[in-house]
Amino acid sequence: MFNWVSQIFAVTSFSMRSLPQRKGSSAAAMLGIAGVVAVMVGVLSIAQGVLKTMESSVGDSNAIVLRSGADSEMMSGLSGDDTRIIAEAPGIARDANGAVASPELFVIVNLPARSTGTDVNVPLRGVQAPAMTVRDSFKLVEGRMFEWGLNEVIVGVGAHQQFSGLEIGSSMEVGKEKWPVVGVFEAGGGMAESEIWVDAAVLQPAFRRGNSYQAVYIKLDSNESFDEFKDTLTSDPRLNVKPMLESEYYDSQSSVIFNMITGLGRIIAVIMGLGAVFGALNTMYTAVSSRNREIATLRALGFRAGPVVISVVCESLLLAFVGGLIGAGLAWLAFDGYRAATLNWASFSAITFAFDVNVKLLVDGIVFAMIIGLLGGLFPAIRAARQPVAQALRGL
Amino acid sequence: MTEFLMNHMMVKVRGVDKIFKRGSEVIHVLGGLDLSIPKGEFLALMGPSGSGKSTLLNLIGGLDRPSEGTLEIGGKRIDRLSERKLAAWRARHVGLVFQFYNLMPVLSAQKNVELPLLLTKLSRAERKKRAAIALDIVGLSHRAGHYPRQLSGGEQQRTGIARAIVTDPTLLLCDEPTGDLDRKSGDEILDLLQALNKEQGKTIIMVTHDIHAAARASRTLYLNKGQLSTEAVD
């Protein structure tokens, strides 16, 4: 065992020390792998960013009530009477103004994206006063709150950055009217930051919605209250609704886009990764070929084939690891925090998010690089080890 | 051959065939070859290119296996050993000297000489001490810290010989040890091999094309078309 380990250490050490002699091909393989990892981490960070936005939307002990059968607010519809009955259900938190239940109206308006100038579906939400209480992280960061009863709007920071015409002091066109932008708000990085908010009582007539809403956002006493709350609503013959915890709701909202981007990212990574494997194979075949004399001599002196295999694989893994680190680092520098907007396939409206290059993605990227390195090193290593010693010496 | 001599044979080759296959072509390199080399002999093997000299040397050194026949070195049959056991046997019993030295370019002369000792359980200090002794024997103590690129051809070959003797092997196999050297350096290497043979009793088999080098050996055999003879065949 001692012998085996010392052989591995010795052969691997020669391999590493002779790396500078092969710096050209080694650098090419490393950079190829770095490119693959940077693209993979970059694409997957979009999905992570969207997921993070969705997760940030989830409030503690929050629930949402939609019409039964609706999968999103767009497909839902609740009457004013429904929302009053819902607000009377047990389990809802209460404050000085009564139940913390926010009936909300959700419509879509077209606004040009800053980056492309093309029209994007932007969510416009009609709210009542409890909307700010339900969303604990709501905070006005610029300008002022809109006046209740007036057609003024406030915009989320994401919408403010991504769409044109939402600067404070400017006005957005809704039908034939102009609605002034008076403030910018944050909502803890959640989906609300992609939205424009207005008084629900102003939005209803503007979009001819009568006294109807699409969802009621609820703050519960606690998560434990949800079952009682849900049972009460689903057993009430006057209602035909679907209560959900916000965590469940945003899970379902994010799954389509998350899976789509993640799937796409992985396909791209695998295709590029195949190219990188060939690059690594080429590099390692060249490395083994240039070390033929060393390898054959070591084996002639009595070193065994196993340590030779391990040394070649170690070299390939080292190159891949460094390449992976460079790629992950580049992705982090280039993409982390970069804000963009994409279509939320559940609501067909834009969602703004920040690319999220997190530790898990960086680790995934480096692991992927190591897999490329392993595949790229293994076959040349086996070839080096299988070559008969006498034949290898003759071939010098 | 007397029984006394047979018991003191370092190398016994009996009925050895070696066949190489290149595609559908079958090449008979050695055919039914017999050879005995007593302990302490310095044997030169000569013959034209492709006559099988290096193949025979590789078989005796356990670097290759015969297609037929038996090989007994130092009283041990090596033709049936597994790859792993053969590697261990080589490390312990055979010192190899190559035409082009085959030193590790990233290691100093001292570290190159220590290389075979990494396969033993010797401590680092002991390895260092033995490598220093081997370098002293070949007269290279003053160049121990130099890398192969900093050494002349003759010095590199002397380092190669120090590496070959550092484990105190019973058998020294030299494949064209002076083939890449000028006359003066070649003579120095041959002086060294002769000294190792005479003063330390090493059994040496040397493959060479050089008649002057062969003249330093105690016996010369000629290999032609896979057969051994005591006289050169034109």
Side-chain angles (χ1 to χ4, degrees):
Chain A
M1 189 64 194
F2 161 82
N3 211 322
W4 172 256
V5 173
S6 72
Q7 285 189 44
I8 290 172
F9 183 76
V11 182
T12 306
S13 142
F14 305 148
S15 166
M16 298 303 169
R17 289 166 71 175
S18 61
L19 257 178
Q21 294 165 5
R22 304 185 293 278
K23 53 188 170 217
S25 62
S26 302
M30 266 189 319
L31 291 178
I33 292 171
V36 172
V37 170
V39 170
M40 181 187 115
V41 171
V43 173
L44 294 182
S45 73
I46 298 174
Q48 291 294 323
V50 171
L51 187 67
K52 192 175 178 184
T53 301
M54 296 284 187
E55 283 172 353
S56 303
S57 305
V58 177
D60 285 342
S61 313
N62 276 15
I64 179 171
V65 183
L66 302 177
R67 189 186 66 203
S68 181
D71 291 326
S72 69
E73 285 179 274
M74 278 295 284
M75 291 183 259
S76 178
L78 299 169
S79 69
D81 288 342
D82 289 341
T83 63
R84 269 192 298 279
I85 295 166
I86 291 166
E88 287 164 5
I92 301 178
R94 293 182 175 276
D95 62 10
N97 299 316
V100 185
S102 168
E104 297 178 6
L105 188 62
F106 183 89
V107 299
I108 284 171
V109 291
N110 280 330
L111 286 175
R114 276 187 200 275
S115 55
T116 60
T118 53
D119 275 357
V120 177
N121 290 345
V122 180
L124 175 59
R125 184 178 293 278
V127 297
Q128 295 183 358
M132 293 75 177
T133 321
V134 169
R135 293 171 181 84
D136 302 317
S137 49
F138 175 88
K139 191 169 78 177
L140 209 59
V141 291
E142 218 181 314
R144 60 172 175 81
M145 182 61 189
F146 59 73
E147 292 283 341
W148 297 103
L150 295 183
N151 56 3
E152 294 175 341
V153 301
I154 56 173
V155 299
V157 286
H160 180 64
Q161 287 171 5
Q162 294 297 320
F163 311 120
S164 298
L166 295 181
E167 295 78 22
I168 293 177
S170 62
S171 297
M172 55 177 278
E173 280 189 32
V174 178
K176 289 178 181 171
E177 294 179 40
K178 288 193 180 296
W179 291 12
V181 178
V182 297
V184 178
F185 67 91
E186 283 179 354
M191 277 176 70
E193 291 186 357
S194 312
E195 298 173 347
I196 302 166
W197 283 12
V198 65
D199 183 354
V202 172
L203 189 59
Q204 282 170 332
F207 280 76
R208 294 182 189 150
R209 294 295 175 91
N211 184 25
S212 74
Y213 297 87
Q214 275 149 296
V216 182
Y217 284 79
I218 304 285
K219 178 155 287 294
L220 296 166
D221 287 334
S222 68
N223 275 338
E224 286 69 45
S225 309
F226 178 70
D227 287 343
E228 186 191 8
F229 171 74
K230 181 180 177 182
D231 290 346
T232 304
L233 296 188
T234 50
S235 59
D236 190 323
R238 295 170 294 173
L239 294 173
N240 183 22
V241 295
K242 179 164 80 171
M244 286 177 280
L245 280 170
E246 271 193 357
S247 52
E248 294 172 52
Y249 176 66
Y250 285 116
D251 261 0
S252 69
Q253 293 288 291
S254 61
S255 62
V256 175
I257 189 164
F258 180 78
N259 291 338
M260 192 177 75
I261 298 172
T262 304
L264 189 67
R266 286 187 179 148
I267 289 169
I268 293 171
V270 166
I271 292 170
M272 290 185 68
L274 275 176
V277 165
F278 284 112
L281 272 173
N282 190 35
T283 300
M284 293 318 295
Y285 273 124
T286 310
V288 166
S289 168
S290 68
R291 290 181 60 216
N292 247 347
R293 181 188 292 263
E294 278 178 38
I295 291 171
T297 306
L298 287 170
R299 293 187 57 207
L301 294 179
F303 285 80
R304 280 158 46 189
V308 170
V309 170
I310 291 172
S311 82
V312 174
V313 170
C314 279
E315 180 180 332
S316 180
L317 286 176
L318 176 75
L319 294 180
F321 179 71
V322 176
L325 272 183
I326 293 171
L330 285 175
W332 183 73
L333 285 173
F335 299 121
D336 192 44
Y338 177 76
R339 289 204 73 93
T342 189
L343 185 68
N344 178 3
W345 288 78
S347 65
F348 292 102
S349 61
I351 169 175
T352 64
F353 65 96
F355 283 53
D356 182 24
V357 182
N358 54 34
V359 174
K360 182 187 172 297
L361 266 192
L362 294 176
V363 171
D364 284 354
I366 291 168
V367 167
F368 187 61
M370 302 288 271
I371 292 171
I372 293 172
L374 181 67
L375 292 176
L378 197 57
F379 298 107
I382 290 171
R383 189 171 81 163
R386 276 194 176 164
Q387 196 173 16
V389 182
Q391 188 186 326
L393 283 170
R394 262 198 306 275
L396 291 178
Chain B
M1 202 171 284
T2 65
E3 191 179 335
F4 173 81
L5 275 177
M6 283 306 288
N7 289 337
H8 285 76
M9 285 300 159
M10 172 59 71
V11 176
K12 288 184 196 170
V13 177
R14 295 291 176 265
V16 161
D17 286 352
K18 183 63 187 176
I19 296 166
F20 288 112
K21 286 181 182 166
R22 191 186 296 149
S24 58
E25 190 185 3
V26 178
I27 304 161
H28 290 265
V29 179
L30 300 175
L33 193 134
D34 292 327
L35 172 64
S36 297
I37 303 171
K39 279 179 190 165
E41 181 168 57
F42 183 174
L43 175 75
L45 266 179
M46 295 192 75
S49 295
S51 59
K53 305 182 297 294
S54 294
T55 301
L56 179 58
L57 200 71
N58 287 339
L59 290 173
I60 294 170
L63 297 169
D64 205 352
R65 291 167 194 281
S67 306
E68 283 290 333
T70 63
L71 286 155
E72 194 178 306
I73 315 292
K76 186 173 181 73
R77 279 279 297 272
I78 64 161
D79 51 283
R80 288 181 188 165
L81 291 180
S82 67
E83 199 60 50
R84 185 176 159 181
K85 284 185 177 166
L86 204 54
W89 174 83
R90 268 198 315 267
R92 189 170 302 168
H93 297 286
V94 181
L96 295 165
V97 179
F98 303 94
Q99 181 180 358
F100 298 108
Y101 334 123
N102 292 15
L103 301 176
M104 302 294 138
V106 295
L107 299 182
S108 66
Q110 165 87 25
K111 291 288 180 190
N112 263 292
V113 175
E114 273 187 50
L115 209 48
L117 298 178
L118 292 174
L119 300 170
T120 67
K121 289 184 177 173
L122 292 176
S123 66
R124 180 180 291 204
E126 186 63 24
R127 289 202 303 261
K128 202 171 172 183
K129 187 177 149 194
R130 291 200 185 189
I133 293 170
L135 279 170
D136 188 43
I137 290 172
V138 301
L140 267 189
S141 298
H142 62 296
R143 306 284 271 167
H146 289 69
Y147 287 86
R149 64 178 180 280
Q150 299 167 319
L151 300 174
S152 68
E155 287 173 329
Q156 289 189 58
Q157 192 57 296
R158 279 195 275 163
T159 308
I161 293 171
R163 180 179 66 187
I165 62 172
V166 75
T167 53
D168 194 22
T170 40
L171 188 60
L172 214 51
L173 302 179
C174 311
D175 195 356
E176 303 264 14
T178 59
D180 195 45
L181 300 175
D182 57 39
R183 171 66 64 198
K184 183 171 175 292
S185 303
D187 281 343
E188 285 170 5
I189 294 301
L190 292 167
D191 290 344
L192 185 56
L193 291 177
Q194 265 188 316
L196 288 169
N197 172 244
K198 287 186 177 151
E199 290 163 23
Q200 301 198 15
K202 299 288 177 202
T203 307
I204 299 176
I205 306 174
M206 174 177 71
V207 164
T208 183
H209 277 109
D210 181 357
I211 203 159
H212 297 288
R216 301 291 199 100
S218 48
R219 180 162 65 126
T220 300
L221 289 175
Y222 299 87
L223 198 56
N224 192 35
K225 295 180 181 168
Q227 297 295 320
L228 277 171
S229 65
T230 51
E231 289 181 14
V233 179
D234 290 331

